[in-house]
Amino acid sequence: MHDDVDVSRLPEGITPLGNDIFAIDTMLAGYPGIVSSYLIRTERPCIVEVGTAGSARILHDAVVALGLAPADLATIVVTHIHLDHAGGTGDMAALFPNAEIVVHERGARHLADPGRLMRSAAMVWGDRLDTLFGRMSPTEARRIRSVSETGEIDLGGGRQLVTHYAPGHAKHHMGLVDTLTGDLYVGDALGVYNPLTGDVRPATPPPDFDLEACLRTLRLFGDINAQRLMFSHFGAVDTVSETIDRAEAELRLWVDTVRESHGSVGDLDHAIAMVRDKVITRYRPLPPDASPEAAAVLDTLSGAEANVSGIVHWLDRLERERAEAERGEREDRA
């Protein structure tokens, strides 16, 4: 079906990772180092994560550069339907006509009919929507396969990706395990890994962030005993247990900092300022040659403002649930 790839002649933005796996920089909004897609170039080739609508042509050209025809691609899978991961799904489906699209069942209807998702995104991002993400095109429903708690994706030759439901970041999030390599594709469940500094920061956006669900997912990922973590933001990491432990510690620190602010002031701007002062100042500075524009885009996607908003949204939900439970108890006593 395809010839061996001369890795010495690969275009910039494609990184060989061994065992027929190639990381592809999707160049979100034209900037490097923000979203990584992965091509598993096996008997039944598969792409994990597609990035935004603007990334579809970049992925198409990378797949061709790696020796495949568009008709060869068997599967496209997204870890969840946020636009930086799945915004290009409809465009990718059009470019790769034989590929089955795999997504968690809670996200499937939004790929087929993205209108509600795009309206919600427009409310959040405003005039930045088109610049950052573009517009998600619908995917034919007949080409979408949804999975629930677990599922299997055939890579050929007895090799599979096994899906695991992994909520906390989003209700439609899943992780994927390569049965040959032990690689775990983590999406945003562990947060954002910066290969330039080695830091891991949480990704806790509204409206779905849930601390307890996140912690359950982290325990699940720890129990998988992966050999390598494949971050969508950004790249492969082989210090597995240490990175999962750091991800949990960072998540708890961010939540505790916001909770401290929430309990005393309850002001979003104050909580953001506290996180910037107490948490973000701990991280290593970017090297001098790093792209400040790319760093700014990544901060927009999963920096202090977005993360704190998600944590505050979760804390407010807990307060409402607690108040409703207390009201119910009083009514029962009456």
Side-chain angles (χ1 to χ4, degrees), residues 3 23 39 52-53 56 59 61 105 122 129 131 153 169 180 182 203 214 223 225 231 241 253 292 305 311 313 317 321:
D3 301 322
L39 173 66
T52 67
L59 287 179
D61 293 348
E105 62 185 5
L129 177 65
T131 302
I153 297 165
H169 171 80
L180 176 70
C214 273
D223 291 343
N225 293 318
F231 279 86
S241 60
L253 176 61
E305 185 175 341
I311 296 169
H313 187 275
R317 187 171 71 243
E321 292 172 354

Side-chain angles (χ1 to χ4, degrees), residues 23-262:
I24 304 169
D25 192 328
T26 69
M27 297 296 292
L28 184 144
Y31 299 117
I34 299 174
V35 177
S36 182
S37 174
Y38 296 91
L39 173 66
I40 307 174
R41 189 178 166 274
T42 50
E43 290 179 15
R44 290 181 50 80
C46 174
I47 279 181
V48 179
E49 305 289 55
V50 302
T52 67
S55 302
R57 179 55 60 175
I58 291 168
L59 287 179
H60 172 276
D61 293 348
V63 168
V64 171
L66 287 166
L68 299 178
D72 292 335
L73 194 68
T75 311
I76 295 167
V77 55
V78 292
T79 60
H80 60 301
I81 62 167
H82 288 166
L83 293 179
D84 52 330
H85 296 254
T89 306
D91 299 278
M92 288 287 289
L95 290 170
F96 297 97
N98 295 329
E100 180 180 61
I101 316 301
V102 181
V103 64
H104 188 265
E105 62 185 5
R106 290 192 172 213
R109 65 189 177 96
H110 296 289
L111 297 187
D113 181 7
R116 180 178 174 186
L117 179 65
M118 292 306 302
R119 288 190 296 273
S120 175
M123 293 176 62
V124 173
W125 298 105
D127 57 8
R128 294 179 294 179
L129 177 65
D130 288 338
T131 302
L132 288 173
F133 306 114
R135 301 281 166 165
M136 179 188 278
S137 300
T139 301
E140 291 179 277
R142 66 178 181 83
R143 295 182 58 187
I144 299 171
R145 176 162 68 93
S146 62
V147 295
S148 55
E149 287 296 319
T150 61
E152 295 177 351
I153 297 165
D154 181 16
L155 301 176
R159 184 174 179 179
Q160 295 178 326
L161 283 179
V162 179
T163 72
H164 296 270
Y165 185 43
H169 171 80
K171 293 178 181 178
H172 39 76
H173 195 291
M174 61 186 184
L176 311 156
V177 180
D178 186 329
T179 58
L180 176 70
T181 65
D183 290 329
L184 171 58
Y185 294 84
V186 300
D188 282 352
L190 292 183
V192 174
Y193 171 77
N194 190 330
L196 300 178
T197 64
D199 290 317
V200 180
R201 306 187 190 192
T204 61
D208 288 352
F209 168 68
D210 183 293
L211 176 62
E212 294 308 318
C214 273
L215 293 174
R216 288 194 298 272
T217 289
L218 290 178
R219 289 193 291 272
L220 167 67
F221 282 5
D223 291 343
I224 284 172
N225 293 318
Q227 296 303 302
R228 194 165 48 172
L229 302 171
M230 313 296 260
F231 279 86
S232 302
H233 314 285
F234 180 86
V237 177
D238 56 14
T239 52
V240 174
S241 60
E242 299 93 330
T243 302
I244 293 175
D245 288 346
R246 282 172 50 210
E248 179 175 346
E250 290 296 323
L251 175 63
R252 291 184 182 277
L253 176 61
W254 279 67
V255 170
D256 288 347
T257 303
V258 175
R259 185 183 271 127
E260 178 186 345
S261 165
H262 195 256

